[in-house]
Amino acid sequence: GEVLVADRAFGGWFFLRQLLERKVDLVIRRHQARTLRSRCYRSWQEAWENPHRPCGQPKRSWKKRQEILTVRLVCFRVQVRGHRAQGVIVVTSLLDVKALPASAIAERSVRRWQVERHFRQIKTNLALDGLRGLSPSMIEREIWMHAIADNLVGAWLLAVSLARAVRIGRLSFKGALDALQARADCARHSRRHRRLAHGTPGGPGARPALPLRSRRHRWLARRTLLARLANDLVPDRPGRSEPRARKRRPKNYLFLTRPRRRMRVSTSRRLR
């Protein structure tokens, strides 16, 4: 009952067949290696035959699959102000033209670019542009922690969107991240202050720490945070071009490829 929107790298026959077996509809851009048998102006259907069995695929499971895959192709043009109009062809399993016209399929396909914005937020705002782990296990753990942080911020944005009736695309990811970090710092400082004022648990002469805030205080803090996130809106700029470009020039330094004691910059700066 779900619809997968992806780019042309996922337009292979075998992957499309797997999605349909899981009862998942698809809206995927046509791969450049796929030749079209017919060409209409807006929308048409084609029957794609089962290609040759790829390496590593069992023969029994490959023979059980359907030999013909019926898909619908939708052609539309993307027109951005200041850019040349680009023709795009997408492949979809939604064959009902009356329920889902070509304009609806084109709108869903264009919105896939929002995924690139999420990747930019993870790399830039969550500082995942460079991995610091030195082993595969640490790198995997680092990636998972950033994914969890991104999902937590996204959950708060979704809660704001449902509570305040605001489109989630208008909410600022960077603003939500700063607000959550400020709230975490305030909670950390308040706990440290209570611990110093009433003794450290387990120390000599320690007193029991004060209980946490009441339910009303937590409700008010959540309400204040939701209102702050709802007021931090980004302007609605449809059709804006956001190219991938570096803002700052890289530094002209050498890479630290060896231990520091073995690095020799010049004979006059040798380590003694």
Side-chain angles (χ1 to χ4, degrees), residues 178-195:
D178 295 340
L180 293 176
Q181 288 179 350
R183 181 183 179 184
D185 294 339
C186 293
R188 190 183 306 110
H189 289 310
S190 62
R191 291 178 182 177
R192 182 174 181 274
H193 179 73
R194 290 198 303 268
R195 185 168 59 252

